[in-house]
Amino acid sequence: RLRLHDGKLIKDRRYHLRTYPNCFVAKELTDWLVDHKEAPDRETGIRLMQKLMDHYIIHHVCDEHSDYKDAKLLYRFRKDDGTFPLSKDVKVFMRGQSLYEKLVSVEESILKVREENSVKYQRTFLGCEMIDWLIQEGEVENRKEAVELGRALLEHGIIQHVSNRHHFFDSDVLYHFWINFRRRRRLTELLNENSSRALSESPDSPFCLRKLNPDPGNTSFLSVQTNKEIKIVSAVRRSSITSLAGNSNPYFSTTPTLVFPPVAECNPKSVLKRPVTTEELLSPGAPYIKKTLTIVGDAVGWGFVVRGGRPCHIQAVDPGGPAAAAGMKVCQFVFSVNGMYVLHLDYQTISSLIMTGPRTLVMEVMEAIE
């Protein structure tokens, strides 16, 4: 994004007597990706930009297109128009990056190469050292706040105990930055990443929108080594659906950002008796009523499945979850998510909106009149 600003590809543009600030032309950006060897060909460039759209990083300036088209259409980075979702996960990641940059840019940094049990580790620091530094730099007000910040950084996979045996403590235990924020990454790496959903999500389980990221007061500890098993220490509500899986093993392998419990497959086919179009939903006198649901996620998530597209529908609801308690039912159509009109979006985009949004979810749904 910054390189595109420097290269004047991102700028104010005028179209149909209206000025759109800080946007780029998709076709010009695809040319730029190929010319600057960020993509080997146009097809790969399109896939990369679609990945950024799927992760809610760029969007069409009028949200009229949910996919990235290699054409003379205007798109914009959400950080340039204030619509980038600053979820708790994103805020912790950005805080970690800011602290890392500050630490590596000062003289006599506490980050050093250290050895433990005959193994050398890069970017290491003692827990008590980090706490002293955070207070000295005004990053936190007291040691308790510093410990809470350190625990959040560890639970989000940014720092780690060097042998991955301890949580973050105010002691002389040795930790290191697990992420090297200075490493230059290429966009094509996005296409090689394994998705946590692909590994552990049953596509029609009511747990596909249930996340186990530690919240304040939750003492869950997630390992951040992707090649080792992850143990969820906190309690997870077991519904009738998970009991069908016959799988009570709390160990499974995945990436540390968003993880999902092992589940049984259910509702392999759409629950809709017939396809319904957006035009049909919105036509005057249509047999549908609109309802507003306020769903307060618990430590595990919200407990429902969105499927389909243009419009999306509720495919499954965990009978013991927050969504069911709020009145959500299968076959309802998703009209809006947190005030954003979504009838024209696919279920992947809507799921992303929900996962990156606040814990209290406000949804408008359309339900057939019985």
Side-chain angles (χ1 to χ4, degrees):
R1 170 177 157 265
L2 296 176
R3 290 168 69 196
L4 295 175
H5 273 287
D6 291 341
K8 305 299 181 186
L9 264 79
I10 294 178
K11 59 186 178 182
D12 296 354
R13 298 175 186 268
R14 196 165 177 80
Y15 181 72
H16 282 182
L17 303 179
R18 181 177 172 184
T19 299
Y20 296 89
N22 291 322
C23 58
F24 58 87
V25 179
K27 189 174 185 303
E28 291 180 7
L29 180 55
T30 311
D31 292 338
W32 185 92
L33 290 171
V34 175
D35 292 344
H36 287 75
K37 296 185 169 43
E38 289 290 350
D41 49 55
R42 299 191 76 82
E43 182 184 353
T44 305
I46 294 166
R47 288 171 60 207
L48 287 168
M49 290 302 102
Q50 185 61 50
K51 195 87 169 178
L52 295 187
M53 287 197 75
D54 294 342
H55 284 74
Y56 217 58
I57 293 170
I58 64 173
H59 68 128
H60 181 256
V61 290
C62 298
D63 288 319
E64 292 177 354
H65 301 278
S66 60
D67 51 356
Y68 180 83
K69 299 181 184 295
D70 187 18
K72 290 184 177 180
L73 294 174
L74 299 181
Y75 292 81
R76 185 187 289 132
F77 279 83
R78 290 189 177 275
K79 286 201 76 171
D80 284 330
D81 64 10
T83 62
F84 183 70
L86 285 175
S87 66
K88 179 190 171 186
D89 296 333
V90 172
K91 286 178 181 176
V92 173
F93 186 88
M94 292 174 70
R95 185 78 186 275
Q97 183 174 19
S98 170
L99 292 174
Y100 182 85
E101 291 294 341
K102 198 170 179 179
L103 280 163
V104 297
S105 61
V106 298
E107 293 184 13
E108 300 299 320
S109 172
I110 62 172
L111 297 189
K112 294 173 181 163
V113 177
R114 291 182 174 92
E115 187 174 308
E116 185 168 292
N117 297 328
S118 302
V119 178
K120 283 188 176 181
Y121 296 95
Q122 304 285 333
R123 305 180 292 277
T124 69
F125 56 89
L126 301 177
C128 54
E129 263 186 343
M130 175 62 83
I131 288 173
D132 291 340
W133 181 84
L134 289 170
I135 294 172
Q136 176 188 321
E137 294 296 317
E139 292 287 345
V140 296
E141 291 186 1
N142 51 55
R143 302 190 81 82
K144 179 183 177 185
E145 191 178 321
V147 170
E148 289 173 355
L149 174 57
R151 290 189 162 229
L153 294 175
L154 189 144
E155 287 171 349
H156 284 75
I158 295 167
I159 65 173
Q160 185 186 51
H161 177 249
V162 290
S163 56
N164 199 22
R165 291 180 180 175
H166 300 288
H167 212 313
F168 185 79
F169 295 104
D170 184 0
S171 66
D172 58 358
V173 175
L174 191 61
Y175 301 90
H176 64 156
F177 271 85
W178 182 245
I179 298 176
N180 178 5
F181 290 100
R182 286 283 179 98
R183 184 176 76 81
R184 173 72 183 274
R185 289 167 173 80
R186 302 198 68 83
L187 273 176
T188 49
E189 290 182 40
L190 289 173
L191 301 179
N192 301 323
E193 289 181 348
N194 290 323
S195 167
S196 59
R197 295 187 182 201
L199 290 171
S200 60
E201 177 192 341
S202 170
D204 294 294
S205 160
F207 289 92
C208 77
L209 287 175
R210 314 209 83 188
K211 57 184 179 180
L212 289 178
N213 274 332
D215 289 321
N218 184 344
T219 57
S220 302
F221 169 55
L222 305 187
S223 154
V224 294
Q225 284 190 302
T226 55
N227 61 335
K228 294 189 177 180
E229 291 178 317
I230 294 178
K231 181 178 181 181
I232 308 302
V233 183
S234 64
V236 175
R237 184 200 311 123
R238 301 284 176 184
S239 76
S240 58
I241 291 178
T242 46
S243 64
L244 290 175
N247 188 349
S248 59
N249 187 353
Y251 295 89
F252 56 98
S253 296
T254 181
T255 53
T257 47
L258 288 178
V259 297
F260 306 85
V263 290
E265 289 222 10
C266 59
N267 299 322
K269 295 182 181 179
S270 173
V271 294
L272 298 179
K273 294 179 180 177
R274 63 176 183 83
V276 176
T277 65
T278 301
E279 291 73 19
E280 184 178 345
L281 283 177
L282 300 179
S283 62
Y288 296 94
I289 57 172
K290 191 187 295 182
K291 292 184 176 180
T292 301
L293 308 178
T294 301
I295 308 166
V296 182
D298 59 17
V300 194
W302 298 273
F304 65 95
V305 176
V306 179
R307 281 294 177 265
R310 306 176 182 89
C312 289
H313 64 275
I314 304 301
Q315 172 76 4
V317 180
D318 174 10
M328 181 173 283
K329 302 173 184 175
V330 296
C331 296
Q332 290 172 334
F333 295 94
V334 185
F335 183 86
S336 72
V337 173
N338 295 325
M340 180 178 177
Y341 173 78
V342 296
L343 279 181
H344 62 297
L345 301 179
D346 57 24
Y347 77 88
Q348 292 101 328
T349 307
I350 291 178
S351 295
S352 177
L353 279 172
I354 295 169
M355 295 295 287
T356 56
R359 183 169 176 173
T360 299
L361 174 65
V362 179
M363 288 179 65
E364 287 183 296
V365 296
M366 299 190 73
E367 180 181 300
I369 299 173
E370 294 182 2

